[in-house]
């Protein structure tokens, strides 16, 4: 097995549990490197750092899978996935959950979403791609799934020299499925939906709106499958309007409203949220509750300013549409914007909108996406409810 020796300077970070080793942190290697294969990593003082997979083409040269001198084989993956499942079962995420959340489940670059009997997987690095057969076998052993689908149509794979691809990893099945969440039903399109087809990370937060939507008029923007909005209707909102820029998302959301018998309370329209909110402010429209769940706005640290501008603008526009004493429900789904920075951005938006705000709830993603301190990409979702009043 190839041996990788680290430079002295980086040891504390990796010793503290961070599994990534950047190319410029490697002092020397011994043996012939084959991209994607398992290597053994040592600190500068020759103590074992662990075993992981290497890809010299990637900026993250090695991702550690274990801190021990154990064999990485099919049994290793079966054990890790079993442990990930035990954690979800303990916390009560049995029907639908993120079964494996990459680094947070000690399986770097692997994502597995469980939608009842169906599984959607993403292998986002060359090293984990090699173990796809072992991962599928583990799922078959533990769950006997009705279907497994690969959603590897993501640009990040190209940084690893991997092609973007999607398709069946089991016998073909109907990729339009219906899942239950909080007693409601939702259509999920595993093949063509966004990301893995559905955002499981907001499943706890959707319950958190119950306190503020009863009897309310609600505007939701960036609605995708319409889940927040349909929850609002279910929790007693008077009427709910949802908007999303994607026609396909709007069609799916309207279908979901009907699936739950809530189509008379909750309707969705295709609109650009930035334009629509501006227009409705001019027309002096007002809602009791405005809910915003925009996309990341940036994928890179260099563009973080652009993301902040986007978040500030949309939240400012949202706040202006809220009746005095109403509520803003707002999220951000990128780890590039830290929780502190997000709150500062909302505060800046309130100031410009000439509003006073009080925090009702501030949370992260649901607990089937655990957070590892020091591993910032695991702490990515911010979910905030504030009461909004005139100054
Ligand atoms: N609230 C959803 C997730 C939203 S994902 C849930 O709980 O599952 C973000 C959504 O924003 C996507 O559906 C995307 O189509 C939409 N979107 C992106 N830019 C937009 C814009 N300018 N106006 C309206 N919607 C937009």
């Amino acid at each position: 097995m190839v041996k990788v020796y680290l430079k002295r300077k980086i040891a504390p970070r990796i010793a503290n549990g961070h599994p990534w080793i950047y190319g410029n942190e490697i002092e020397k290697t011994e043996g012939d490197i084959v991209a994607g294969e398992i290597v053994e990593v040592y600190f500068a003082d020759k103590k074992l750092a662990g075993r992981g997979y290497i890809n010299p083409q990637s900026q993250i040269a090695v991702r550690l899978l274990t801190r021990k001198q154990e064999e990485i084989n099919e049994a290793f993956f079966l054990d890790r996935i079993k442990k990930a499942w035990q954690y979800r079962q303990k916390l009560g995420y049995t029907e639908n959950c993120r079964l494996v959340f990459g680094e947070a489940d000690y399986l770097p670059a692997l994502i597995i979403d469980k939608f009842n009997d169906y599984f959607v997987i993403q292998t986002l690095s060359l090293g984990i791609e090699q173990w796809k057969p072992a991962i599928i076998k583990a799922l078959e052993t533990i769950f006997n799934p009705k279907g497994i689908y690969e959603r590897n149509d993501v640009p990040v794979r190209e940084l690893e020299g991997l092609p973007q691809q999607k398709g069946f990893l089991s016998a073909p099945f109907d990729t339009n499925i219906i899942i239950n969440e909080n007693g409601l039903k939702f259509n999920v399109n595993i093949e063509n939906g966004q990301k893995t087809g559905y955002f499981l990370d907001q499943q706890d937060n959707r319950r958190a709106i119950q306190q503020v939507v009863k009897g309310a008029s609600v505007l939701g923007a960036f609605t995708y499958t319409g889940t927040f909005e349909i929850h609002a209707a279910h929790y007693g909102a008077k009427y709910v309007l949802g908007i999303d820029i994607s026609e396909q998302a709007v069609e799916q959301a309207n279908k979901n409203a009907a699936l739950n018998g809530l189509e008379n309370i909750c309707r969705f329209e295709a609109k650009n949220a930035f334009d629509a909110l501006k227009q409705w402010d001019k027309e002096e429209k007002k809602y009791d509750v405005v809910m915003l769940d925009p996309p990341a706005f940036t994928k890179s640290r260099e563009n973080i300013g652009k993301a902040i501008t986007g978040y500030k603008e949309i939240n400012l526009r949202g706040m202006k549409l809220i009746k005095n004493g109403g509520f803003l429900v707002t999220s951000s789904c990128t780890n590039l914007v830290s929780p502190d920075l997000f709150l500062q951005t909302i505060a800046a938006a309130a100031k410009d909108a000439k509003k006073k705000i009080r925090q009702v709830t501030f949370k992260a993603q649901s607990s089937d996406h655990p957070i590892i301190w020091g591993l910032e990409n695991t702490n990515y979702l911010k979910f905030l409810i504030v009461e909004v009043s005139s100054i």
Side-chain angles (χ1 to χ4, degrees), residues 69-84:
Q69 212 153 22
E70 64 183 312
E71 205 171 323
I72 309 298
N73 52 20
E74 279 184 3
F76 172 88
F77 282 94
L78 178 62
D79 182 59
R80 280 282 156 96
I81 296 173
K82 268 188 182 160
K83 290 208 168 96

Side-chain angles (χ1 to χ4, degrees), residues 361-379:
T361 303
F362 187 44
K363 285 146 60 86
Q365 67 265 12
S366 57
S367 312
D368 54 341
H369 298 59
I371 295 169
I372 303 223
W373 293 349
L375 242 170
E376 55 182 16
N377 69 330
T378 63
N379 188 5

Side-chain angles (χ1 to χ4, degrees), residues 6 49 52 71 78 101 156 167 175 182 190 202-203 208 232 266 275 278 284 309 336 367 377:
L6 302 179
E71 205 171 323
L78 178 62
F101 182 39
V156 70
T175 50
N182 301 322
I190 286 173
Q202 293 273 32
Q203 58 177 318
C266 193
D275 300 342
K278 195 173 176 177
E284 295 185 10
T309 308
L336 296 172
S367 312
N377 69 330

